[in-house]
Structures are given as C-alpha cells and as structure tokens.
Amino acid sequence: MLHSLIREMAKGKKPLFVQLILENIWSLYDAVLKKDKEKIDKIVTSLGLKVGVREARHSDPKVQISAICGQWLPISHAVLAMVCQKLPSPLEISSERVERLMCTGSQTFDSLPAETQALKAAFMKCGSEDTAPVIIFVSKMFAVDAKALPQNKPRPVTQEEMARRRERARQRHAERLAAARGQAPVGRSSDGGALEASPEAEEPPGEQQGQSETPDPVPQEESNQETFIAFARVFSGVARRGKKIFVLGPKYSPVEFLQRVPLGFSAPLDDLPPVPHMARCTLEHLYLLMGRELQDLEEVPPGNVLGIGGLQDFVLKSATLCSLPSCPPFIPLNFEATPIVRVAVEPKHPSEMPQLVRGMKLLNQADPCVQILIQETGEHVLVTAGEIHLQRCLDDLKERFAKIQISVSEPIIPFRETITKPPKVDMVNEEIGKQQKVAVIHQMKEDQSKIPEGVQVDSDGLITMTTPNKLVTLSVRAVPLPEEVTRILEGNSDLIRSMEQLTSSLNEGKNTQVIHQKTQEKMWEFKGKLEQHLTGRKWRNTVDHIWSFGPRKCGPNILVNKSEYFQNSVWTGPAGKASQEASRHRDMGNSIVSGFQLATLSGPMCEEPLMGVCFVLEKWDQSKLEEQGASDKQNQDLVREGRGQGVSCCLGDGVEERQDRQDGHSEPLEKSPAQRGEPPLPDCYGPLSGQLIATMKEACRYALQVKPQRLMAAMYTCDIMATSDVLGKEGR
C-alpha cells in the first residue's frame, strides 16, 4: 500500500489526504530512521516542540518518534477533538433510528401500544426536565476491581485532621514518658478520653501519622472481589443517584404489562403486579468513565455516556432502564463475529468446581460475545469468537474470575449436519460418476444396515415407524433443501421467531390482532420468497404445508405435513377453540413437532444441529388408537347401562364368573376404572405423547441415515481491499 501511494505521488496524482497529512508523517519517520539530526531539529523547531535530551539521544528510533508525536499529535486530544467535531449531537437523532431502537425482531413501530409510541417524542426531544421520562440503555457490563471504585480509594487527609492527629501523637508521647518515670500510668487526652497503653501507642509518631493518612484497608475478601459496572447512555431525562427505576430485560413485553395494570397507570409504581423480565432497582452509583479511572457523579444529563454501579444482580449483559414500564426494550447489540470456537473447561482439583462455576458466570456477564454452556454430560463448555478471544477469556477466568488452575480441552469448531443429492455427471465424467454412485450406494447400504428391525424403509427413503404400543404409525422422508432456501431461512430467523410467538399467543387466547395485522405483509413476502425457490413437481404445495421450523422453531430446517389426517400450517395459525377431539389431535401434533425439534437439534452423525433439511410427514395413521378409544367408550356405556339396571348380566355370565374366580368376590367391576368413568390405565411404554416424540425423533434420524450425509464446517471469510499496483499478474 505504501509503495502504491509513492508511485501515485511520483506520477503527480497525490490525493489530498496524502499531500496534507501522510507526507508530513512520512518525512518525520524518514528523518528519525535515517538519524538526520538537522532535519529533526528543523521539524521540532517548526512545530514548537520540546524534546528532552534523553529522548533525543536515545538509540531506539521508536522512543524519539514517540516523544515527538506525543507532543505534536497527542492521541487523547485528537480523539476528543474528533468526537466534539464529528459525532452528531443527541438532538440530531432521526425518527427512523428511534423506531429501529424501539422495535425488536420483525416488530413494526405502528404495532406498539399507544403508551409506548408516545415515548418517541421523549427520544426526539432528549429533554432534561423533571417531567421527562428517564430512558437509559445498558449496552454491556464490564468488570473492575473493587479497589478501583472511588468509594474504596484512599481519600486525602485535610489540614485539620493532620493537626488533630499530630496533637494526639504528641500527648501519647508525653504520657509514655510520664509512665516511664512512674508519675502517671494513664493520662487524659484533650477530648477527655482515657488513653491506655497499647501496642499502637508504642509506635513512633511518624509512623502513626503516616498510617492515619489512609482509611482502613479494604478486607482481603472484598479486595479480591470483582464488581461490575454497566456501560450505559442516557437517551432522555436526567439520571440521578438514588432514583428508582425499572430494569427491562431483552425479552420484556410492554403489551403484557399493559394488560396486567389498571388503565391509565392508576396503581402506584410500588404496587405494580410482577411482570416477567422486569425488575425494580435504585441507581446507587453513577460514574464518569475517565479511561481506567472512575469519578463519582450525582446526576448525568441526557445524551451522555456513563457507568452505573450496583446493577450486577439485575442485568446479565444488556438491558433498558426506564422510569415508565411502558417503554420497550431496545434491540440487542449485533456482533459481526459469531462464537464458534468452543472448549471444555474443568478444574484441576475437583474440589474447586464451585469456584469454576462462579467464575464462568462472571465471565459470561463481563464479555458480551462469549457463551457458557453445560452439556448433557455435565461438561462446562466455553464458546468464543476465535483463538485470540479464547486465550483472553481463559486468562481472565484463571486470573480474575475463578482464580484457580483449570484444564482446557482442544478447541472444537462446531459442525452442521445435512444431506445432499446424488452427484450429477456428464459424458466426460461418466466413469467418475459411476464410482461416486457406487460409493453412495455402499454408504446407503451401510447406513441401512444400522437401522433396527421393525423400521420399514422403501426404495425412495421413506421411513415408516410405529409407536411402542402399536397404536400410531408415522412415515417420514428427508429431502435436501436448495441452498437459496437455506439462506432465506437463516436471514429471516427473527420473522420466524415472531411467527412462532404469534401462534403461541393465539393458542393462549391473548389479544394480538394488531401485531398480527402488521406482520402479515412480511409473512406473505417471506412465503413468496420460499415459493419462488421451491418449484417443480417435487415441491408442489410444500410451502403451504410447512408445519414448523427447527431447531428451536426458528432454524434452517422445515417440517412439512402432507398427511390427510391432521392439517396445520405456520401460515394459518391455530384453528381456534374447537371440539375436544380436535384439541386432542392438536396436542398429538405438538408431540410430533417436539420430536422434529429434537431431531434437528442433534443429528445422527456427531450430535450436531441440522441445516438445510426438509422432513416430510407423509403418513400419520392412528386408526388403531381410535378403535381402542371407541371400544373403551362402548365398554363404559355398557357398564354404565348395567349399573343403571342394577344387574351385570349384560357383560355375560362368563365374565362375571371369571372375575369371581380371580378375586374371590363379586365386586371387581365396581372397582374398575371403566365403571368409574376414569381414563384407562397408563400404557406400559409411557404416555402416548412421549411415545410420539420418541418415534418422530427416531424416524427423522433414520430418514437422514438412508440419504447421502454430509458435515458442514464453519468458514472464515474476509474482504481484502488493495490497489491494482500491489496485485500480481494472477490477481489481475
């Protein structure tokens, strides 16, 4: 890059930045590196700088360059001037940015409640009046040593205190001399208090005076304790110490709050009902962030950045602080780097496991880009953004948060499991294609050999399984999704999550009609994109029959329901309150969806999440279950009719005689669940919902194993910008 700029200057094509700024810096570097004393003195004199003799004679050119640039272009002054001149004023915030801050996911500003929309004016005004609502956003939490807090630092001793302590030391010295002569064992101080001979009194006055200039030291446990400061910004109102404020988590919903409180906020703020993801706290300490130093503040006007202490028990990583609970939580911060490098961490001494757990919790709170997981095996997993980030997190864990020796496994990069189509070849690569097809056939045969008995597999990869109680049969097929569809699903995860929340709200009977109307347009646009790429006979009507997304109901895998028994779709939402039979079918459908979610969360190859797979439920047969239900109902009706007539002959004498011979009396029918109108006894294999979940999960895993499976590894991408002069012939 430097050579290309030099060539451009040689051609007379000097950019303005090069001519006015870079040339001056280069000339300074050139003079110092060549040790041109005359040129250096000329530069220092023209800039009006004063370089010390020691720096001027130092053999290392870096020291001399640092001394000159530190006076010529001090970084602190340069950054502060840039902030004052270039950063926009808080009053210049645009209405579009305010709406983006107040809307999370695919939510629109018009869908927010009227009380929430009214806060937009407070954002735009950025007022400091007492009536203005206080709105603060906490972007992250950072850890500091408890000794670095202003309230724990030694305070300077005043002149009056020094004079008073000097007088007391002089009196103690006089009393000690009198006691040595035997005149007075105990004396009186000027304030009337008794002065007793103590080890402290034996110390020389100089040491006593020097010791009294600092307050009592912080206890050992507190000195080693890490405390958290919230890095925040005030958007409206004035943040004052001692003010009570609401802490709104990222999942807080003002709609749910407005449904619980009386209209018009008639209830006092202290008597508000508990709302999920909302807490009440007091602003204990406000700090001015001066680099590594913290300075106490009593209040902070709007538009400023500050540090807030005492929020470690209320805020995990980010939160919104507001004096009105009708404020929505701000959108969380988006990081360019996704945590993908993970390691398993354990203490070298098993007895120190509690310290490790506490340290990992503190690390998770201090670093917004780290993730802490606990596997099913009990391993504590640390997920970071890269190798350098991983090393920094491990150092912080050992030296600051846990303060123990730990054992770390080798870094593991997560994979994604998927399936592919058989390779397509042309006439030239026919022989290679045959070898690949043979390899695929062998792989499919090996995978099919792993499938246990009782699972039916047809030639097209359709898996048919029956629940352990032989009452419900499911047929599932796995199909690879096009890459474009997978990218669309990944890019619209927020919209998919909003669709799932909308469906859940409708199932619970909540009034979300406004949100539904505002998100409908985005839903149809998303559906149109899927229909545009899922074309052909194989994908006919597939989008209309999408039942769920996975894993976690917002991932890049879909479940399609093409069975004729029960119809449901993510586009139509729940069918509403129907008959008891329809409600029962919906519950069974939820069990099938849960099995699909578990299957996409951990694949059959290495228990990694799936990606780009479509599971098609082609058959859902529960005719045997209905027959059993009808038979149980008929038996209940017969028993109820026999009890009404006072006889049991309707069941047959043989049945009654067998019951008498088994139990020795004639009362077994009165004790049977069918006579009492109770449901039949639980199946020996467990509830039917659990059987459906397990059967659907296994069917999806077997459907993957009969297809060509692949592992997808994470790839690091970067953009390199350079001029044409630095590129080689191949690069051009």
Side-chain angles (χ1 to χ4, degrees):
M1 189 70 180
L2 181 62
H3 296 290
S4 64
L5 291 174
I6 294 176
R7 292 194 192 99
E8 294 294 334
M9 290 191 303
K11 296 178 182 179
K13 301 177 181 179
K14 295 182 181 180
L16 192 62
F17 180 78
V18 174
Q19 185 176 1
L20 299 181
I21 298 177
L22 289 184
E23 282 188 351
N24 297 324
I25 298 177
W26 289 342
S27 61
L28 172 63
Y29 271 76
D30 185 68
V32 174
L33 293 177
K34 292 181 179 180
K35 298 182 179 180
D36 190 348
K37 190 175 184 303
E38 295 182 359
K39 190 174 183 179
I40 294 175
D41 295 339
K42 183 178 179 181
I43 293 175
V44 171
T45 304
S46 61
L47 294 176
L49 308 179
K50 294 182 180 180
V51 181
V53 179
R54 181 178 180 182
E55 288 82 3
R57 296 179 179 178
H58 205 282
S59 59
D60 190 359
K62 293 182 180 180
V63 176
Q64 197 170 4
I65 291 176
S66 178
I68 297 175
C69 292
Q71 299 183 42
W72 176 30
L73 301 171
I75 188 171
S76 58
H77 295 173
V79 172
L80 182 59
M82 183 271 296
V83 169
C84 297
Q85 297 174 7
K86 300 298 181 181
L87 287 186
S89 170
L91 296 175
E92 298 178 6
I93 186 172
S94 61
S95 59
E96 293 80 7
R97 185 167 184 266
V98 173
E99 294 180 1
R100 287 198 304 268
L101 287 174
M102 299 177 67
C103 299
T104 58
S106 61
Q107 198 176 30
T108 58
F109 181 76
D110 296 336
S111 63
L112 297 174
E115 295 84 353
T116 303
Q117 296 185 25
L119 295 176
K120 179 180 177 180
F123 278 93
M124 302 293 296
K125 186 178 180 181
C126 195
S128 58
E129 301 85 2
D130 294 337
T131 57
V134 180
I135 303 175
I136 306 172
F137 176 61
V138 177
S139 59
K140 69 174 183 177
M141 304 286 290
F142 63 94
V144 297
D145 194 348
K147 295 184 294 185
L149 297 178
Q151 59 268 23
N152 296 335
K153 287 186 176 180
R155 60 182 180 84
V157 183
T158 62
Q159 293 292 336
E160 293 78 7
E161 292 180 352
M162 293 179 63
R164 186 166 54 254
R165 293 177 182 179
R166 192 179 298 110
E167 182 64 24
R168 294 182 60 185
R170 187 180 299 109
Q171 291 180 1
R172 280 196 293 267
H173 182 63
E175 294 293 340
R176 190 164 55 251
L177 292 178
R181 296 173 184 175
Q183 296 179 359
V186 178
R188 292 280 179 178
S189 63
S190 59
D191 56 357
L195 295 176
E196 298 180 359
S198 62
E200 294 180 358
E202 300 295 333
E203 296 179 1
E207 295 182 6
Q208 190 66 243
Q209 178 179 350
Q211 209 175 34
S212 61
E213 292 180 356
T214 58
D216 295 337
V218 181
Q220 184 67 23
E221 296 180 358
E222 186 179 354
S223 63
N224 296 332
Q225 184 181 2
E226 294 285 342
T227 184
F228 285 89
I229 304 297
F231 184 82
R233 181 187 177 185
V234 183
F235 282 85
S236 175
V238 179
R240 291 185 174 88
R241 179 183 294 184
K243 182 177 180 57
K244 293 185 178 181
I245 202 165
F246 291 98
V247 181
L248 312 178
K251 296 183 180 180
Y252 171 75
S253 174
V255 178
E256 187 173 358
F257 166 79
L258 295 174
Q259 291 176 353
R260 296 193 180 192
V261 300
L263 295 177
F265 299 99
S266 58
L269 296 181
D270 295 333
D271 299 336
L272 291 177
V275 179
H277 309 290
M278 183 182 76
R280 190 85 183 275
C281 73
T282 303
L283 299 179
E284 298 179 358
H285 301 284
L286 305 180
Y287 302 112
L288 178 63
L289 305 178
M290 303 289 292
R292 295 183 179 181
E293 299 294 329
L294 299 174
Q295 182 177 349
D296 271 321
L297 297 175
E298 292 295 330
E299 61 180 28
V300 178
N304 289 279
V305 176
L306 77 156
I308 305 177
L311 296 180
Q312 60 268 17
D313 296 333
F314 301 95
V315 180
L316 178 59
K317 293 188 177 183
S318 64
T320 303
L321 310 181
C322 186
S323 58
L324 296 178
S326 58
C327 179
F330 289 0
I331 56 174
L333 297 178
N334 295 324
F335 298 97
E336 293 293 336
T338 303
I340 59 173
V341 181
R342 59 183 181 181
V343 294
V345 182
E346 63 179 4
K348 288 189 176 181
H349 303 285
S351 60
E352 296 177 340
M353 179 60 74
Q355 291 92 315
L356 176 63
V357 173
R358 178 181 176 274
M360 296 188 75
K361 288 182 179 179
L362 296 176
L363 177 63
N364 184 37
Q365 190 173 17
D367 195 331
C369 197
V370 77
Q371 293 181 3
I372 304 297
L373 305 175
I374 300 180
Q375 301 287 7
E376 296 179 355
T377 57
E379 289 182 330
H380 290 75
V381 178
L382 179 66
V383 189
T384 59
E387 295 182 358
I388 299 177
H389 185 214
L390 172 63
Q391 188 61 41
R392 175 62 184 271
C393 292
L394 293 177
D395 293 341
D396 289 343
L397 190 62
K398 291 185 292 185
E399 299 174 2
R400 296 184 60 185
F401 301 122
K403 296 183 179 179
I404 59 173
Q405 296 297 321
I406 59 177
S407 300
V408 184
S409 66
E410 293 294 329
I412 301 174
I413 305 298
F415 296 95
R416 294 292 184 266
E417 301 185 24
T418 187
I419 55 176
T420 60
K421 298 179 181 179
K424 295 181 180 180
V425 295
D426 52 14
M427 296 293 294
V428 178
N429 298 323
E430 184 177 359
E431 187 64 28
I432 300 177
K434 289 181 180 179
Q435 297 177 3
Q436 292 178 345
K437 289 182 179 179
V438 171
V440 170
I441 292 173
H442 284 301
Q443 178 190 353
M444 294 176 62
K445 288 183 178 180
E446 292 178 0
D447 293 337
Q448 291 181 5
S449 63
K450 301 177 183 178
I451 298 177
E453 298 181 0
V455 180
Q456 302 178 9
V457 184
D458 66 357
S459 58
D460 199 19
L462 182 65
I463 301 294
T464 302
M465 287 188 64
T466 306
T467 56
N469 58 7
K470 309 299 181 182
L471 296 180
V472 181
T473 303
L474 302 176
S475 297
V476 182
R477 186 193 310 276
V479 182
L481 286 173
E483 294 183 4
E484 296 82 3
V485 176
T486 304
R487 287 195 291 266
I488 291 173
L489 295 177
E490 288 183 321
N492 292 271
S493 59
D494 291 338
L495 178 60
I496 296 173
R497 191 178 293 108
S498 300
M499 293 167 55
E500 176 61 29
Q501 294 175 357
L502 174 63
T503 304
S504 302
S505 300
L506 292 175
N507 278 328
E508 296 174 2
K510 297 180 180 179
N511 185 15
T512 55
Q513 189 65 23
V514 177
I515 301 178
H516 177 69
Q517 292 176 355
K518 296 302 179 181
T519 56
Q520 196 73 21
E521 183 178 352
K522 292 185 177 180
M523 290 172 55
W524 296 136
E525 182 181 357
F526 171 57
K527 182 180 179 182
K529 291 181 180 179
L530 294 179
E531 291 176 345
Q532 182 180 357
H533 294 90
L534 293 177
T535 58
R537 182 180 57 85
K538 182 178 64 174
W539 300 104
R540 184 177 302 169
N541 299 329
T542 298
V543 178
D544 294 331
H545 294 85
I546 294 179
W547 196 357
S548 179
F549 301 91
R552 298 182 179 90
K553 298 186 178 181
C554 62
N557 306 281
I558 60 176
L559 172 64
V560 178
N561 181 16
K562 289 189 176 180
S563 64
E564 300 178 356
Y565 187 79
F566 176 70
Q567 296 294 332
N568 196 3
S569 174
V570 294
W571 314 110
T572 58
K577 295 183 179 179
S579 60
Q580 183 178 2
E581 189 70 18
S583 177
R584 180 189 178 198
H585 293 163
R586 190 183 304 116
D587 294 338
M588 297 177 65
N590 293 336
S591 299
I592 294 178
V593 172
S594 299
F596 160 75
Q597 298 294 336
L598 293 176
T600 54
L601 187 60
S602 58
M605 284 193 290
C606 53
E607 302 297 329
E608 294 288 348
L610 301 185
M611 181 177 181
V613 182
C614 172
F615 292 99
V616 183
L617 180 63
E618 297 191 356
K619 181 181 178 182
W620 178 6
D621 184 10
Q622 57 180 20
S623 56
K624 295 183 179 180
L625 179 63
E626 294 178 349
E627 293 176 0
Q628 184 184 25
S631 176
D632 294 340
K633 184 177 180 181
Q634 183 179 3
N635 292 337
Q636 292 179 7
D637 294 340
L638 292 175
V639 171
R640 194 178 298 110
E641 182 181 355
R643 293 180 61 189
Q645 295 178 358
V647 294
S648 59
C649 60
C650 60
L651 298 178
D653 297 338
V655 176
E656 186 176 359
E657 291 177 1
R658 285 196 298 271
Q659 295 288 348
D660 291 340
R661 288 196 299 268
Q662 291 177 2
D663 301 335
H665 51 80
S666 60
E667 297 178 356
L669 293 179
E670 296 179 0
K671 295 183 178 181
S672 64
Q675 290 188 15
R676 296 193 300 267
E678 299 177 359
L681 293 176
D683 193 276
C684 61
Y685 298 101
L688 180 60
S689 60
Q691 296 184 44
L692 280 174
I693 294 174
T695 303
M696 183 63 184
K697 176 184 176 182
E698 295 301 320
C700 293
R701 293 170 71 94
Y702 293 144
L704 288 172
Q705 292 180 354
V706 298
K707 298 286 185 177
Q709 303 178 71
R710 296 292 184 271
L711 279 178
M712 303 179 68
M715 299 181 64
Y716 178 78
T717 60
C718 65
D719 297 330
I720 301 176
M721 300 179 63
T723 60
S724 59
D725 297 333
V726 299
L727 298 177
K729 295 181 180 180
E730 294 80 6
R732 297 180 183 177

